[in-house]
Short mmCIF file of all heavy atoms in Angstrom, two decimals:
data_model
loop_
_atom_site.label_atom_id
_atom_site.label_comp_id
_atom_site.label_asym_id
_atom_site.label_seq_id
_atom_site.Cartn_x
_atom_site.Cartn_y
_atom_site.Cartn_z
N THR B 1 -81.48 22.60 -57.76
CA THR B 1 -82.52 23.13 -56.94
C THR B 1 -82.19 24.64 -56.63
O THR B 1 -81.15 24.96 -56.09
CB THR B 1 -82.64 22.36 -55.61
OG1 THR B 1 -82.90 20.96 -55.95
CG2 THR B 1 -83.78 22.90 -54.80
N THR B 2 -83.14 25.49 -56.95
CA THR B 2 -83.05 26.88 -56.61
C THR B 2 -84.22 27.38 -55.80
O THR B 2 -84.21 28.50 -55.25
CB THR B 2 -82.99 27.76 -57.91
OG1 THR B 2 -84.20 27.55 -58.69
CG2 THR B 2 -81.72 27.48 -58.73
N LEU B 3 -85.27 26.57 -55.65
CA LEU B 3 -86.44 26.96 -54.90
C LEU B 3 -86.16 27.00 -53.39
O LEU B 3 -85.70 26.04 -52.81
CB LEU B 3 -87.62 25.89 -55.15
CG LEU B 3 -88.95 26.20 -54.55
CD1 LEU B 3 -89.60 27.40 -55.24
CD2 LEU B 3 -89.81 24.98 -54.60
N PRO B 4 -86.47 28.11 -52.80
CA PRO B 4 -86.30 28.20 -51.36
C PRO B 4 -87.41 27.50 -50.57
O PRO B 4 -88.53 27.40 -51.03
CB PRO B 4 -86.27 29.68 -51.08
CG PRO B 4 -87.17 30.27 -52.10
CD PRO B 4 -86.94 29.43 -53.33
N GLU B 5 -87.06 27.05 -49.39
CA GLU B 5 -88.06 26.46 -48.51
C GLU B 5 -88.98 27.63 -48.00
O GLU B 5 -88.50 28.68 -47.74
CB GLU B 5 -87.54 25.68 -47.40
CG GLU B 5 -86.80 24.43 -47.85
CD GLU B 5 -86.47 23.48 -46.68
OE1 GLU B 5 -86.77 23.84 -45.49
OE2 GLU B 5 -86.01 22.37 -46.88
N ARG B 6 -90.30 27.31 -47.85
CA ARG B 6 -91.22 28.31 -47.35
C ARG B 6 -92.13 27.69 -46.33
O ARG B 6 -92.72 26.56 -46.62
CB ARG B 6 -92.08 28.94 -48.54
CG ARG B 6 -91.21 29.70 -49.50
CD ARG B 6 -92.04 30.19 -50.68
NE ARG B 6 -91.22 30.97 -51.63
CZ ARG B 6 -91.70 31.38 -52.82
NH1 ARG B 6 -92.97 31.17 -53.13
NH2 ARG B 6 -90.95 32.07 -53.63
N HIS B 7 -92.37 28.34 -45.27
CA HIS B 7 -93.28 27.86 -44.24
C HIS B 7 -94.57 28.68 -44.22
O HIS B 7 -95.50 28.34 -43.46
CB HIS B 7 -92.67 27.88 -42.81
CG HIS B 7 -92.33 29.21 -42.35
ND1 HIS B 7 -91.17 29.90 -42.62
CD2 HIS B 7 -93.03 30.06 -41.53
CE1 HIS B 7 -91.16 31.06 -42.06
NE2 HIS B 7 -92.31 31.22 -41.36
N ASP B 8 -94.56 29.78 -45.00
CA ASP B 8 -95.82 30.59 -45.07
C ASP B 8 -95.85 31.16 -46.50
O ASP B 8 -95.13 32.06 -46.84
CB ASP B 8 -95.70 31.72 -44.08
CG ASP B 8 -96.99 32.59 -44.01
OD1 ASP B 8 -98.06 32.11 -44.63
OD2 ASP B 8 -97.02 33.64 -43.37
N ARG B 9 -96.78 30.65 -47.24
CA ARG B 9 -96.97 31.07 -48.64
C ARG B 9 -98.46 31.07 -49.01
O ARG B 9 -99.30 30.57 -48.33
CB ARG B 9 -96.21 30.07 -49.59
CG ARG B 9 -96.82 28.67 -49.54
CD ARG B 9 -96.19 27.78 -50.64
NE ARG B 9 -96.84 26.48 -50.60
CZ ARG B 9 -96.55 25.49 -51.49
NH1 ARG B 9 -95.67 25.76 -52.45
NH2 ARG B 9 -97.18 24.33 -51.39
N ILE B 10 -98.74 31.65 -50.14
CA ILE B 10 -100.07 31.56 -50.73
C ILE B 10 -100.21 30.27 -51.40
O ILE B 10 -99.39 29.77 -52.15
CB ILE B 10 -100.32 32.73 -51.70
CG1 ILE B 10 -100.35 34.11 -50.95
CG2 ILE B 10 -101.59 32.51 -52.55
CD1 ILE B 10 -100.50 35.26 -51.86
N LEU B 11 -101.39 29.58 -51.16
CA LEU B 11 -101.75 28.36 -51.87
C LEU B 11 -102.94 28.71 -52.74
O LEU B 11 -103.99 29.04 -52.31
CB LEU B 11 -102.13 27.25 -50.90
CG LEU B 11 -102.17 25.85 -51.47
CD1 LEU B 11 -101.97 24.78 -50.36
CD2 LEU B 11 -103.51 25.55 -52.20
N CYS B 12 -102.67 28.63 -54.06
CA CYS B 12 -103.66 29.06 -55.04
C CYS B 12 -103.67 28.07 -56.19
O CYS B 12 -102.55 27.65 -56.64
CB CYS B 12 -103.44 30.47 -55.54
SG CYS B 12 -104.62 31.05 -56.74
N GLY B 13 -104.77 27.71 -56.75
CA GLY B 13 -104.77 26.81 -57.86
C GLY B 13 -106.14 26.69 -58.51
O GLY B 13 -107.21 27.20 -57.92
N GLU B 14 -106.18 26.10 -59.67
CA GLU B 14 -107.47 25.76 -60.36
C GLU B 14 -107.66 24.27 -60.28
O GLU B 14 -106.83 23.46 -60.63
CB GLU B 14 -107.34 26.24 -61.81
CG GLU B 14 -108.64 26.05 -62.60
CD GLU B 14 -108.56 26.66 -63.96
OE1 GLU B 14 -108.70 27.91 -64.10
OE2 GLU B 14 -108.28 25.88 -64.93
N LEU B 15 -108.83 23.92 -59.72
CA LEU B 15 -109.11 22.53 -59.36
C LEU B 15 -110.00 21.83 -60.36
O LEU B 15 -110.97 22.41 -60.83
CB LEU B 15 -109.66 22.46 -57.95
CG LEU B 15 -109.97 21.08 -57.40
CD1 LEU B 15 -109.51 20.97 -55.95
CD2 LEU B 15 -111.42 20.71 -57.54
N PHE B 16 -109.60 20.58 -60.67
CA PHE B 16 -110.48 19.71 -61.50
C PHE B 16 -110.75 18.51 -60.64
O PHE B 16 -109.81 17.88 -60.08
CB PHE B 16 -109.76 19.33 -62.79
CG PHE B 16 -110.46 18.19 -63.54
CD1 PHE B 16 -111.37 18.48 -64.53
CD2 PHE B 16 -110.14 16.85 -63.27
CE1 PHE B 16 -112.00 17.45 -65.24
CE2 PHE B 16 -110.74 15.86 -64.00
CZ PHE B 16 -111.70 16.13 -64.95
N CYS B 17 -112.00 18.14 -60.50
CA CYS B 17 -112.34 16.96 -59.65
C CYS B 17 -113.39 16.09 -60.41
O CYS B 17 -114.38 16.67 -60.88
CB CYS B 17 -112.91 17.42 -58.29
SG CYS B 17 -113.30 16.07 -57.21
N LYS B 18 -113.17 14.82 -60.53
CA LYS B 18 -114.06 13.92 -61.19
C LYS B 18 -114.20 12.60 -60.36
O LYS B 18 -113.19 12.08 -59.87
CB LYS B 18 -113.49 13.60 -62.60
CG LYS B 18 -114.34 12.62 -63.39
CD LYS B 18 -113.71 12.37 -64.81
CE LYS B 18 -114.49 11.40 -65.58
NZ LYS B 18 -113.85 11.07 -66.90
N TRP B 19 -115.44 12.17 -60.19
CA TRP B 19 -115.63 11.01 -59.37
C TRP B 19 -116.57 10.00 -60.10
O TRP B 19 -117.34 10.37 -60.99
CB TRP B 19 -116.22 11.35 -58.03
CG TRP B 19 -117.51 12.14 -57.98
CD1 TRP B 19 -118.74 11.68 -58.05
CD2 TRP B 19 -117.56 13.62 -57.97
NE1 TRP B 19 -119.65 12.72 -58.05
CE2 TRP B 19 -118.96 13.92 -58.00
CE3 TRP B 19 -116.62 14.61 -58.01
CZ2 TRP B 19 -119.40 15.20 -58.00
CZ3 TRP B 19 -117.12 15.94 -57.96
CH2 TRP B 19 -118.46 16.22 -57.99
N SER B 20 -116.53 8.81 -59.71
CA SER B 20 -117.26 7.72 -60.29
C SER B 20 -118.21 7.20 -59.24
O SER B 20 -117.86 6.92 -58.10
CB SER B 20 -116.34 6.58 -60.76
OG SER B 20 -117.14 5.43 -61.11
N TYR B 21 -119.47 6.90 -59.73
CA TYR B 21 -120.46 6.29 -58.89
C TYR B 21 -120.43 4.77 -59.03
O TYR B 21 -121.19 4.06 -58.39
CB TYR B 21 -121.86 6.81 -59.23
CG TYR B 21 -122.05 8.24 -58.90
CD1 TYR B 21 -122.14 9.21 -59.89
CD2 TYR B 21 -122.21 8.69 -57.58
CE1 TYR B 21 -122.37 10.55 -59.61
CE2 TYR B 21 -122.43 10.03 -57.29
CZ TYR B 21 -122.52 10.94 -58.30
OH TYR B 21 -122.72 12.26 -57.95
N GLY B 22 -119.62 4.29 -59.96
CA GLY B 22 -119.68 2.88 -60.32
C GLY B 22 -120.92 2.64 -61.13
O GLY B 22 -121.37 3.44 -61.91
N GLU B 23 -121.59 1.54 -60.91
CA GLU B 23 -122.80 1.20 -61.67
C GLU B 23 -123.94 2.15 -61.18
O GLU B 23 -124.10 2.41 -60.01
CB GLU B 23 -123.21 -0.25 -61.39
CG GLU B 23 -124.25 -0.76 -62.36
CD GLU B 23 -124.41 -2.29 -62.30
OE1 GLU B 23 -123.43 -2.98 -61.94
OE2 GLU B 23 -125.51 -2.76 -62.61
N CYS B 24 -124.68 2.62 -62.22
CA CYS B 24 -125.71 3.66 -61.91
C CYS B 24 -126.85 3.10 -61.02
O CYS B 24 -127.32 2.00 -61.24
CB CYS B 24 -126.29 4.15 -63.23
SG CYS B 24 -127.51 5.44 -63.02
N LYS B 25 -127.19 3.90 -60.06
CA LYS B 25 -128.35 3.61 -59.20
C LYS B 25 -129.23 4.85 -59.09
O LYS B 25 -128.89 5.92 -59.60
CB LYS B 25 -127.87 3.12 -57.78
CG LYS B 25 -127.09 1.82 -57.86
CD LYS B 25 -126.62 1.36 -56.45
CE LYS B 25 -125.87 0.10 -56.53
NZ LYS B 25 -125.40 -0.37 -55.19
N ASP B 26 -130.31 4.76 -58.33
CA ASP B 26 -131.22 5.90 -58.17
C ASP B 26 -130.72 6.83 -57.09
O ASP B 26 -131.11 6.80 -55.92
CB ASP B 26 -132.60 5.32 -57.79
CG ASP B 26 -133.62 6.45 -57.83
OD1 ASP B 26 -133.37 7.51 -58.44
OD2 ASP B 26 -134.71 6.26 -57.19
N PHE B 27 -129.76 7.72 -57.48
CA PHE B 27 -129.18 8.67 -56.54
C PHE B 27 -129.84 10.02 -56.70
O PHE B 27 -130.30 10.34 -57.75
CB PHE B 27 -127.67 8.78 -56.77
CG PHE B 27 -126.84 7.53 -56.58
CD1 PHE B 27 -125.80 7.18 -57.45
CD2 PHE B 27 -127.15 6.67 -55.56
CE1 PHE B 27 -125.07 6.08 -57.21
CE2 PHE B 27 -126.41 5.48 -55.34
CZ PHE B 27 -125.35 5.17 -56.18
N ASP B 28 -129.72 10.83 -55.60
CA ASP B 28 -130.10 12.18 -55.64
C ASP B 28 -128.82 12.96 -56.10
O ASP B 28 -128.01 13.41 -55.29
CB ASP B 28 -130.58 12.74 -54.37
CG ASP B 28 -131.06 14.14 -54.41
OD1 ASP B 28 -130.70 14.88 -55.34
OD2 ASP B 28 -131.85 14.56 -53.48
N PHE B 29 -128.57 13.08 -57.41
CA PHE B 29 -127.28 13.58 -57.91
C PHE B 29 -127.11 15.04 -57.54
O PHE B 29 -125.92 15.41 -57.27
CB PHE B 29 -127.30 13.42 -59.50
CG PHE B 29 -127.27 12.03 -59.95
CD1 PHE B 29 -128.34 11.46 -60.61
CD2 PHE B 29 -126.08 11.26 -59.76
CE1 PHE B 29 -128.28 10.12 -61.03
CE2 PHE B 29 -126.02 9.96 -60.22
CZ PHE B 29 -127.15 9.39 -60.86
N ASN B 30 -128.14 15.86 -57.56
CA ASN B 30 -127.97 17.25 -57.16
C ASN B 30 -127.50 17.34 -55.71
O ASN B 30 -126.63 18.15 -55.42
CB ASN B 30 -129.29 18.02 -57.28
CG ASN B 30 -129.66 18.23 -58.73
OD1 ASN B 30 -128.83 18.27 -59.63
ND2 ASN B 30 -130.97 18.28 -59.03
N CYS B 31 -128.06 16.57 -54.83
CA CYS B 31 -127.68 16.68 -53.39
C CYS B 31 -126.23 16.13 -53.20
O CYS B 31 -125.45 16.79 -52.42
CB CYS B 31 -128.65 15.80 -52.59
SG CYS B 31 -128.29 15.74 -50.80
N ILE B 32 -125.90 15.09 -53.90
CA ILE B 32 -124.55 14.52 -53.83
C ILE B 32 -123.48 15.50 -54.32
O ILE B 32 -122.46 15.77 -53.70
CB ILE B 32 -124.41 13.18 -54.55
CG1 ILE B 32 -125.29 12.10 -53.87
CG2 ILE B 32 -122.92 12.71 -54.62
CD1 ILE B 32 -125.38 10.84 -54.65
N TRP B 33 -123.78 16.12 -55.47
CA TRP B 33 -122.86 17.09 -56.01
C TRP B 33 -122.62 18.27 -55.07
O TRP B 33 -121.48 18.73 -54.85
CB TRP B 33 -123.32 17.59 -57.36
CG TRP B 33 -122.29 18.42 -58.15
CD1 TRP B 33 -121.43 17.93 -59.09
CD2 TRP B 33 -122.08 19.84 -57.98
NE1 TRP B 33 -120.62 18.99 -59.51
CE2 TRP B 33 -120.99 20.14 -58.86
CE3 TRP B 33 -122.65 20.83 -57.24
CZ2 TRP B 33 -120.52 21.42 -59.02
CZ3 TRP B 33 -122.15 22.12 -57.36
CH2 TRP B 33 -121.09 22.41 -58.29
N LYS B 34 -123.69 18.77 -54.49
CA LYS B 34 -123.54 19.89 -53.54
C LYS B 34 -122.69 19.53 -52.33
O LYS B 34 -121.87 20.28 -51.86
CB LYS B 34 -124.96 20.33 -53.14
CG LYS B 34 -124.91 21.55 -52.17
CD LYS B 34 -126.35 21.98 -51.83
CE LYS B 34 -126.31 23.17 -50.85
NZ LYS B 34 -127.69 23.59 -50.48
N LYS B 35 -122.91 18.24 -51.85
CA LYS B 35 -122.19 17.81 -50.68
C LYS B 35 -120.73 17.63 -50.98
O LYS B 35 -119.90 18.07 -50.18
CB LYS B 35 -122.78 16.46 -50.20
CG LYS B 35 -122.26 15.97 -48.86
CD LYS B 35 -123.04 14.74 -48.42
CE LYS B 35 -122.61 14.27 -47.01
NZ LYS B 35 -123.36 13.05 -46.54
N ILE B 36 -120.39 17.14 -52.19
CA ILE B 36 -118.95 17.01 -52.54
C ILE B 36 -118.34 18.41 -52.72
O ILE B 36 -117.18 18.63 -52.33
CB ILE B 36 -118.84 16.16 -53.84
CG1 ILE B 36 -119.25 14.74 -53.55
CG2 ILE B 36 -117.45 16.22 -54.40
CD1 ILE B 36 -119.33 13.86 -54.76
N HIS B 37 -119.03 19.30 -53.33
CA HIS B 37 -118.56 20.70 -53.42
C HIS B 37 -118.25 21.30 -52.10
O HIS B 37 -117.23 21.92 -51.94
CB HIS B 37 -119.59 21.54 -54.20
CG HIS B 37 -119.16 22.93 -54.53
ND1 HIS B 37 -119.41 23.98 -53.67
CD2 HIS B 37 -118.55 23.45 -55.62
CE1 HIS B 37 -118.92 25.04 -54.21
NE2 HIS B 37 -118.35 24.80 -55.39
N GLU B 38 -119.08 21.05 -51.14
CA GLU B 38 -118.87 21.57 -49.79
C GLU B 38 -117.62 20.88 -49.18
O GLU B 38 -116.83 21.52 -48.46
CB GLU B 38 -120.09 21.30 -48.87
CG GLU B 38 -121.31 22.14 -49.31
CD GLU B 38 -122.51 21.77 -48.54
OE1 GLU B 38 -122.58 20.72 -47.89
OE2 GLU B 38 -123.56 22.52 -48.68
N CYS B 39 -117.45 19.61 -49.39
CA CYS B 39 -116.29 18.87 -48.89
C CYS B 39 -114.97 19.48 -49.44
O CYS B 39 -113.94 19.58 -48.72
CB CYS B 39 -116.35 17.39 -49.26
SG CYS B 39 -117.58 16.44 -48.28
N ILE B 40 -114.99 19.77 -50.72
CA ILE B 40 -113.80 20.32 -51.41
C ILE B 40 -113.40 21.64 -50.75
O ILE B 40 -112.24 21.83 -50.39
CB ILE B 40 -114.03 20.48 -52.87
CG1 ILE B 40 -114.16 19.21 -53.64
CG2 ILE B 40 -112.94 21.35 -53.52
CD1 ILE B 40 -114.64 19.33 -55.05
N LEU B 41 -114.35 22.50 -50.53
CA LEU B 41 -114.06 23.80 -49.91
C LEU B 41 -113.63 23.66 -48.48
O LEU B 41 -112.65 24.31 -48.02
CB LEU B 41 -115.30 24.74 -49.98
CG LEU B 41 -115.85 25.01 -51.40
CD1 LEU B 41 -117.05 25.97 -51.28
CD2 LEU B 41 -114.83 25.50 -52.31
N GLU B 42 -114.27 22.76 -47.74
CA GLU B 42 -113.87 22.54 -46.34
C GLU B 42 -112.50 22.00 -46.19
O GLU B 42 -111.70 22.44 -45.38
CB GLU B 42 -114.90 21.64 -45.65
CG GLU B 42 -114.59 21.34 -44.21
CD GLU B 42 -115.53 20.39 -43.56
OE1 GLU B 42 -116.69 20.26 -44.06
OE2 GLU B 42 -115.21 19.76 -42.56
#
């Protein structure tokens, strides 16, 4: 181990997110996608 402990650092990354609806139903996919995008950022 050479990595020092840090209590204040930059957190940066490239995110991949994939979710399953299970069996397909009559969803408002555009609305759901936007809501999940907002959850990720929050």
